[in-house]
Amino acid sequence: DIELAPDRSKFAEQVSRDFFMAHVNDLDVIFLKFLDSRSVSPESFLYDFDKVLSKTDIAINPGPGKFENNFEDYRKTIKKIHEILATRQDEISDLIAACKGIEKRSYSKKNVPVWLEAAFQKLEDSGSDTFFDMEEKKDSLFRFTCTRLRNSTKPGFEPPEHEFFNLCEHLLSWHEKFKSNLIWLEHKFLSFFISELEKKKQKDAVCFFDDLVNDLAAALEGPERRGLVKAVRKNYQACLIDEFQD
């Protein structure tokens, strides 16, 4: 009594929306802003993992890792950055200007104050829920990380040092945690999708074209495989494969 459904898109869309309702929408707003910066949505997950979803035994790398949810540490960091930017922007600008080895075409007397003020205004607007995208050509705060300053300092010279730069570097480490969290979320989505889609198929008594392949493969590896092979050979003397990839 199972019906073959040629299009699984409506089923898949519902499962993906269910996942976001249950496991994504109530996450911390800062991490949600990170997901938004990566255009993560129920539709994007379906698009990105379309070829994986029909292969339940495929190996996924990298592994899921763990989910970091101590976002109060992130908020404490941006609070300290806000306090410094509110009163010590000139101090930071002068420190960078005095560094002889730093790349002055980028870290110019014109650019540095503009970058600092942009970060300050963003904090003023969003407060404790501010998300900084710590990548090149994204938020200006990235340019004040220890990593970026070190890479922008000529060999033989020491990059400038300041508490502010260390705090920005800490935000950079958080950016890596955000990316790791996304990988964890993707793994959870895959597990959820496979499990929930199977439930929906059983409830509605439907199967998809992928199931014809997967169920046959499972049957050929199961305890009744010899009976299946014997029955097929009895009914069919030859098999014509019309598409090479099959």
Side-chain angles (χ1 to χ4, degrees):
D1 296 327
I2 293 179
E3 177 186 354
L4 177 61
D7 184 12
R8 72 172 185 182
S9 60
K10 290 184 179 179
F11 288 86
E13 288 166 6
Q14 184 60 54
V15 172
S16 189
R17 286 195 295 268
D18 289 347
F19 174 78
F20 272 71
M21 287 289 292
H23 300 287
V24 179
N25 293 354
D26 291 332
L27 292 173
D28 191 283
V29 65
I30 290 177
F31 184 60
L32 290 178
K33 288 181 178 181
F34 168 79
L35 295 181
D36 186 58
S37 74
R38 296 299 181 272
S39 300
V40 172
S41 67
E43 294 74 23
S44 74
F45 266 22
L46 281 179
Y47 179 82
D48 291 342
F49 297 105
D50 180 60
K51 296 186 183 302
V52 178
L53 296 173
S54 62
K55 300 177 176 64
T56 57
D57 60 343
I58 195 168
I60 307 295
N61 285 307
K66 68 174 185 176
F67 191 89
E68 176 60 67
N69 61 0
N70 181 24
F71 296 104
E72 287 311 305
D73 175 72
Y74 185 93
R75 287 185 167 87
K76 288 178 182 178
T77 302
I78 61 173
K79 181 181 178 182
K80 292 177 182 177
I81 288 174
H82 193 188
E83 291 170 353
I84 291 175
L85 289 175
T87 58
R88 301 165 66 185
Q89 289 190 38
D90 290 343
E91 175 185 326
I92 297 167
S93 296
D94 292 343
L95 181 62
I96 292 176
C99 181
K100 295 181 179 180
I102 202 161
E103 206 276 293
K104 288 296 197 298
R105 188 165 54 181
S106 176
Y107 289 89
S108 65
K109 292 183 178 181
K110 177 183 177 181
N111 288 341
V112 171
V114 172
W115 295 340
L116 292 170
E117 185 60 24
F120 177 69
Q121 287 302 323
K122 187 167 186 175
L123 282 162
E124 286 282 288
D125 293 340
S126 301
S128 62
D129 291 334
T130 303
F131 163 71
F132 285 102
D133 201 340
M134 301 297 283
E135 290 187 356
E136 194 73 47
K137 297 183 180 180
K138 294 297 177 76
D139 280 305
S140 62
L141 209 60
F142 171 77
R143 297 179 176 89
F144 298 100
T145 62
C146 297
T147 297
R148 179 65 157 77
L149 290 166
R150 185 168 55 251
N151 292 337
S152 301
T153 302
K154 299 174 184 176
F157 292 88
E158 291 295 322
E161 296 182 358
H162 194 280
E163 176 191 6
F164 176 69
F165 306 146
N166 294 333
L167 291 168
C168 292
E169 184 73 15
H170 190 55
L171 281 193
L172 182 61
S173 70
W174 258 104
H175 197 74
E176 295 304 311
K177 293 177 183 178
F178 289 149
K179 291 193 288 187
S180 179
N181 279 359
L182 176 54
I183 293 173
W184 181 91
L185 200 62
E186 290 168 341
H187 275 271
K188 192 172 185 67
F189 169 75
L190 291 172
S191 298
F192 179 91
F193 185 95
I194 293 168
S195 172
E196 291 300 308
L197 187 61
E198 193 62 35
K199 292 177 185 177
K200 282 186 176 294
K201 287 190 297 184
Q202 292 182 13
K203 178 183 177 183
D204 297 340
V206 299
C207 70
F208 307 116
F209 285 119
D210 287 336
D211 295 318
L212 299 180
V213 178
N214 291 334
D215 290 350
L216 177 60
L220 288 171
E221 295 174 356
E224 304 296 330
R225 60 185 178 276
R226 291 187 177 182
L228 173 60
V229 171
K230 184 178 180 180
V232 171
R233 284 177 173 167
K234 181 179 179 180
N235 289 319
Y236 302 99
Q237 293 183 341
C239 172
L240 174 64
I241 300 175
D242 66 342
E243 293 190 39
F244 180 76
Q245 66 265 29
D246 291 341

